[in-house]
Amino acid sequence: MINLNYKEELKQVISEYFNYDKVKDVKVYGSGLINKTYIVIFEETSYILQKVNDYVFSSPIGVMYNIDLVTNHIRKKVIYEGKNYRNSTLTLIKTINDKNFAIVNDEYWRCYTCIDGITFDKTDDLNIFYETGKIIGEFQHLLSDFNPSLLTDNIRDFHNTYLRYQNFEKSIKLDIVKRKNTCLDEIEFVRKRVNIANIISNALEEGIIPKRVVHNDTKLNNIMFNKNNRKAMCLIDLDTVMKGSILYDYGDALRLGASCSSEDEIDLNKVKINFDIVYAFTKGFLEATKNLITNSEIKLLITGYYTITYELGMRFLTDYLDNDKYFTLTEKQKKSRPKLNLERARNQFKLVSEIEDNFEKLEDIVKQVTKEL
């Protein structure tokens, strides 16, 4: 029995793909903040159904265009190598009208095969992070011969950190829900570090580092692992696949993965860096990318970690000032933790400070791994 309030809407969507009478159950799936995700359960198999957030992604069609191009490219290369393509990338299911997405009530939906694996929200297992670095590097390897200019910019200037800073200043000026005075210290923290905002974007524009296909959301729970041997199989959640820098994927994975706390931890004394995780992840990442990554990119890896952490903290703070429009809160969160995005921002800023205090140590880890390869 499908026990959801929006049963009728889901019935229409599911009917775009499947014989609804054959469905055994539909359940909410995962813990993502952006899209609504469900698992559609049949007698012999299951599928993942998602509603694309068209506030975050103003062009859902562009999102699906990128996903289709990238997954097809990966699939062909994996098949050529005689490997199991079903677990190597997401596989889109087409509608009964042979489309990559369905539109129901002016909302965009897509469907994937269900990869039989597991994900982790948090772990201290160093082998998991070695595998995570390796699969993110493998993603780059599989797409090294794909022209990133073919991809659309679904979120324009997604990692243009300086533009994020300009938008942040606009939000302060507008102060639409009168929250500015509750976060003056955090505002000052961002302003004091604006000089780091252009480092990566300038390196891209000047050709110091190459533009590549970038996942742009490499947190741990976007990696699918084999249930039995805990080997990483593929990256999931490809909505933000666009052109950019390899530094973004390296930095974002460490931003959350190497933190000793969760992203919404309010006890900032717990927000520290796990350097063993940094080493394990970097080892896997550089092993997989050693034949394509440039020396200029290697030198900026920790800067990528630093910049992305600063950027995410600034984004959380901007969203708090904008009344939580992007990182939306559930009704329960609105009651229990109405300042959640401010708390997330404080968490990331503490991590920024930790990176600053340990920058040389972090760079030494990269140098050590590079020498070992």
Side-chain angles (χ1 to χ4, degrees), residues 177-188:
V177 284
K178 308 303 177 188
R179 290 179 171 178
K180 179 176 71 174
N181 289 333
T182 66
C183 54
L184 294 176
D185 290 344
E186 290 75 22
I187 289 170
E188 185 62 19

Side-chain angles (χ1 to χ4, degrees), residues 103-139:
I103 302 175
V104 176
N105 299 327
D106 293 326
E107 294 177 329
Y108 293 80
W109 295 79
R110 39 102 182 290
C111 185
Y112 297 113
T113 57
C114 189
I115 298 174
D116 186 22
I118 56 172
T119 60
F120 301 93
D121 287 326
K122 191 70 180 172
T123 180
D124 293 326
D125 187 328
L126 297 183
N127 188 62
I128 291 294
F129 279 98
Y130 168 76
E131 285 291 321
T132 298
K134 198 172 175 183
I135 201 67
I136 293 172
E138 180 67 13
F139 180 80

